[in-house]
């Protein structure tokens, strides 16, 4: 694989992963989860959640295919399961079907922010497909670049949570969430 092909593949994988991570669409969810957090607790929780998400996705990239094989799950079956979970997530974003919860600052919101919100089934499936799409080591390189860049952009956006929510307002936030639900 040529360097140009690697760059294009990494760009495509980054874009797909960024759409799945949906940092703008999760703003309203995070605002609700972080209600009552001090600004410092919110920053630390976001930092921890993004790092844990990176660790989860990196672990999936390294041993995910082997773990699936161990349990007898194929990539196609994972795609179907991921698609069904996307359906539920998209419907929840559009219609608010699932109950809301709040986070505890002591747990840094690892659950539900790091997983399943960021490193959820869609991101995991994307990383696995990216790793398996290209021969070794290109697939791993493309996946690593995509994970770091997409989570870096997500982190930068989420760190500006309060400013962005003020900028887009409650209605804009709701509209973005609904639109991303349709995209998902």
């Amino acid at each position: 694989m040529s360097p140009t092909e690697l760059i294009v593949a990494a760009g495509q994988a980054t874009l797909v992963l960024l759409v799945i991570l949906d940092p703008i669409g999760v703003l309203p969810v995070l605002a609700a989860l972080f209600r009552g957090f001090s600004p410092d607790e919110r920053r630390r929780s976001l930092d921890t959640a993004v790092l844990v998400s990176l660790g989860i996705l990196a672990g999936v990239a390294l041993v995910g295919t082997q773990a699936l094989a161990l349990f007898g799950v194929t990539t196609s079956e994972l795609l179907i399961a991921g698609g069904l979970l996307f359906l539920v997530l998209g419907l929840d974003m559009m219609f608010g079907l699932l109950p809301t919860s709040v986070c505890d600052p002591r747990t840094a919101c690892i659950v539900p922010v790091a997983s399943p919100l960021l490193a959820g089934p869609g991101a995991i499936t994307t990383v696995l497909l990216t790793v398996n799409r290209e021969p070794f080591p290109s697939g791993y390189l493309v996946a690593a670049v995509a994970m770091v860049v997409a989570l870096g952009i997500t982190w930068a956006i989420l760190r500006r949570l309060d400013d962005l929510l003020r900028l887009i307002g409650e209605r804009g936030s709701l509209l973005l969430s609904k639109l991303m639900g349709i995209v998902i």
Side-chain angles (χ1 to χ4, degrees):
M1 181 171 242
S2 73
T4 305
E5 291 172 329
L6 274 175
I7 291 170
V8 169
Q12 289 172 337
T14 300
L15 186 59
V16 169
L17 195 53
L18 197 55
V19 167
I20 289 169
L21 293 172
D22 186 21
I24 302 295
V26 300
L27 289 175
V29 175
L30 292 179
L33 288 172
F34 291 155
R35 192 175 319 132
F37 279 35
S38 72
D40 188 48
E41 288 172 332
R42 190 172 23 254
R43 279 190 296 275
R44 277 185 289 150
S45 293
L46 284 170
D47 293 348
T48 302
V50 170
L51 285 173
V52 168
S53 297
L54 180 61
I56 291 168
L57 294 178
V60 164
L62 293 174
V63 297
T65 304
Q66 295 82 3
L68 289 176
L70 180 68
F71 294 113
V73 177
T74 66
T75 307
S76 299
E77 293 165 338
L78 186 67
L79 281 173
I80 292 168
L84 291 173
L85 287 170
F86 265 149
L87 174 66
V88 171
L89 181 61
L91 289 172
D92 178 54
M93 291 174 76
M94 290 174 24
F95 304 113
L97 302 174
L98 300 176
T100 57
S101 61
V102 294
C103 283
D104 182 353
R106 294 170 300 196
T107 62
C109 288
I110 292 172
V111 175
V113 179
S115 180
L117 201 55
L118 296 178
I124 289 170
T125 304
T126 301
V127 167
L128 280 174
L129 290 174
T130 302
V131 166
N132 291 322
R133 187 173 295 136
E134 306 296 335
F136 180 83
S138 299
Y140 288 94
L141 181 61
V142 168
V145 168
M147 288 184 293
V148 169
V149 172
L151 282 169
I153 292 169
T154 298
W155 174 81
I157 290 170
L158 296 182
R159 286 290 295 238
R160 307 301 307 178
L161 175 69
D162 294 328
D163 297 333
L164 289 170
L165 285 174
R166 265 194 305 277
L167 178 69
I168 62 176
E170 191 174 323
R171 282 188 175 166
S173 174
L174 182 62
L175 176 66
L176 281 173
S177 177
K178 302 298 181 192
L179 287 175
M180 290 314 296
I182 292 169
V183 170
I184 287 177

